Amino acid sequence: MRDLSCGDTRIFLELEVRRLDCRRCGKVKRERLDFLADNPLYTKRFAYYVGRRCRAATIKDVAEELALDWHTVKALDMQYMEAQLKRAGTPGPAVIGIDEISIRKGHSYRIVVSDLVRGRPIWFGGTDRSEASMSQFYAWLGKTKSSRIRLAVMDMWKPFRLATNAHAPQAAILFDKFHIIRHLGEALDTVRKSEYARLSGRQRRYIKGQKYTLLSRQENLTLDGKKALKTLLAANKRLNTAYVLKESFGQLWSYEREGWARRFFENWRASLKWQRLKPYEKFAAMIDRHWDGIAAYCRLENKVSLGFVEGLNNKIRVIQRRAYGLRNEDYLRLKILTCMLPAL
């Protein structure tokens, strides 16, 4: 007799699972019952309950709550996630988002590919962020389904672009604006650092500790943050110019025709003249080199929600913090691939 607690319901299960001689291999095997989990001591219903709890809590917390062994909870959770993937079916995406995540220190990366139409990650793999690793996704997806991809959203990492051109040449490539804005933020922070190094004494106090005030959007700042930003921009003309340029660049994605977008960019780049903002000049040169992947956003058929990839990255960071110290990569893969799927 085994006592299985499932929320407010208590299930008492008494079974005698028969052992049978297999005619093919001659080994003794257990009778398979459909309502049992992979671990025959528990039902699938209970395994799914454990899986639902693990979506919001750590393995350790669920194990303590249900008085189960840590390894048992992990195994039941993995069975639940595999059932989620089975129900979701085989993906055939038309629009994909490509990004990489760091799984541990030392530049150890894995690639995450998402279906941006259905709003779910569909592939986690590779051994790094090379072209060979990216090609593994297209090999997994197959030639037929790869040929149906019409749009691939990615950062400006060259190996991703080369692999996509090789395996899905019909797909338009669109560079993710969040990664581009991140590069612009890094340019602004470089200007901030150079100004801090150039100044001395009391003039430095306006800049010190204001990195995230400068990099944040004004509407996201608190009242104190807005006051600090106003004081900083009034005290340093160069940072004020850099900040205004950073804020105005976001207008680029509002255009519906490539010619208008290009004219805006050329005017924005022309405004850098005589400003002595070398990091911004390097950023403008990078945009010019990758213009095709940025201008693609102007086409109506490429107007997709680019916030999903950024939201998924935040969700993955939460998963990694919750699974801190867990070295099982297959478990991490299942967690990522099922994080946007409905509960069973």
Side-chain angles (χ1 to χ4, degrees):
M1 179 82 70
R2 187 167 184 86
D3 176 5
L4 302 179
S5 300
C6 184
D8 296 329
T9 306
R10 258 180 203 281
I11 304 169
F12 291 91
L13 181 64
E14 186 171 4
L15 288 173
E16 184 178 343
V17 180
R18 293 180 296 177
R19 295 175 179 272
L20 306 171
D21 291 325
C22 180
R23 294 180 179 178
R24 292 183 180 178
C25 63
K27 294 181 179 179
V28 177
K29 295 185 177 180
R30 271 187 187 149
E31 179 184 16
R32 185 170 183 83
L33 301 175
D34 290 338
F35 65 88
L36 287 182
D38 291 344
N39 184 332
L41 297 177
Y42 305 95
T43 63
K44 282 185 179 177
R45 181 181 175 184
F46 181 70
Y48 290 178
Y49 172 75
V50 171
R52 288 193 296 272
R53 289 290 299 113
C54 287
R55 284 168 71 91
T58 64
I59 296 175
K60 181 181 178 182
D61 290 341
V62 176
E64 290 177 354
E65 175 190 331
L66 301 177
L68 294 172
D69 181 69
W70 185 93
H71 296 282
T72 299
V73 172
K74 179 186 166 189
L76 294 175
D77 187 25
M78 290 183 74
Q79 182 181 351
Y80 171 79
M81 291 186 288
E82 285 166 355
Q84 278 184 294
L85 289 177
K86 186 176 180 180
R87 177 175 290 187
T90 306
V95 181
I96 60 172
I98 304 169
D99 204 359
E100 76 275 355
I101 63 166
S102 174
I103 60 169
R104 63 180 66 91
K105 291 181 180 179
H107 301 287
S108 184
Y109 294 100
R110 297 295 180 268
I111 299 170
V112 179
V113 181
S114 305
D115 183 336
L116 296 188
V117 175
R118 291 176 174 82
R120 53 164 287 208
I122 57 174
W123 190 78
F124 171 93
T127 55
D128 48 25
R129 50 181 186 159
S130 65
E131 183 180 349
S133 288
M134 187 67 240
S135 296
Q136 290 177 24
F137 162 72
Y138 293 106
W140 170 82
L141 192 63
K143 289 184 178 180
T144 301
K145 289 185 177 180
S146 294
S147 66
R148 295 173 185 165
I149 298 173
R150 65 172 181 84
L151 180 66
V153 181
M154 63 186 74
D155 61 18
M156 291 178 284
W157 185 242
K158 188 176 180 180
F160 292 171
R161 187 170 73 252
L162 292 176
T164 301
N165 287 334
H167 299 280
Q170 78 291 338
I173 292 177
L174 176 63
F175 295 131
D176 185 2
K177 70 178 180 181
F178 291 100
H179 285 91
I180 295 170
I181 293 297
R182 192 175 302 162
H183 283 289
L184 183 54
E186 290 170 359
L188 175 58
D189 192 47
T190 303
V191 175
R192 180 192 66 84
K193 290 176 181 177
S194 67
E195 283 298 283
Y196 185 80
R198 184 178 66 85
L199 299 173
S200 61
R202 296 183 62 186
Q203 290 181 309
R204 280 186 166 186
R205 64 180 179 176
Y206 298 109
I207 301 175
K208 188 175 182 180
Q210 297 302 323
K211 175 181 177 180
Y212 295 104
T213 302
L214 271 174
L215 296 182
S216 299
R217 299 184 66 180
Q218 196 165 357
E219 58 266 30
N220 295 334
L221 293 173
T222 62
L223 184 60
D224 289 340
K226 290 177 181 178
K227 288 180 179 178
L229 178 63
K230 186 177 180 180
T231 303
L232 170 61
L233 298 182
N236 192 295
K237 183 180 178 181
R238 197 153 175 255
L239 277 178
N240 181 62
T241 302
Y243 182 80
V244 170
L245 285 166
K246 189 264 290 187
E247 289 291 290
S248 65
F249 189 81
Q251 186 179 333
L252 178 67
W253 283 274
S254 65
Y255 294 102
E256 296 182 355
R257 293 188 180 178
E258 183 179 344
W260 295 347
R262 185 70 194 189
R263 185 179 303 172
F264 167 80
F265 171 66
E266 292 296 346
N267 290 336
W268 186 88
R269 183 162 63 170
S271 66
L272 298 178
K273 195 174 183 180
W274 314 118
Q275 299 298 341
R276 297 179 295 113
L277 295 172
K278 289 291 183 184
Y280 276 53
E281 292 171 11
K282 289 181 180 179
F283 171 78
M286 180 189 69
I287 295 299
D288 192 39
R289 290 194 306 271
H290 298 86
W291 179 254
D292 288 344
I294 297 169
Y297 190 73
C298 297
R299 291 191 281 274
L300 186 62
E301 65 271 18
N302 295 341
K303 297 289 186 181
V304 295
S305 176
L306 300 180
F308 172 79
V309 176
E310 197 66 18
L312 176 62
N313 286 342
N314 293 332
K315 216 169 184 59
I316 290 173
R317 282 191 281 270
V318 171
I319 291 170
Q320 288 179 305
R321 283 197 298 271
R322 193 180 293 156
Y324 179 76
L326 188 63
R327 297 299 182 186
N328 188 331
E329 196 169 309
D330 192 45
Y331 184 79
L332 177 62
R333 181 186 68 85
L334 288 172
K335 276 292 180 188
I336 291 172
L337 295 182
T338 59
C339 66
M340 298 294 190
L341 293 179
L344 293 180

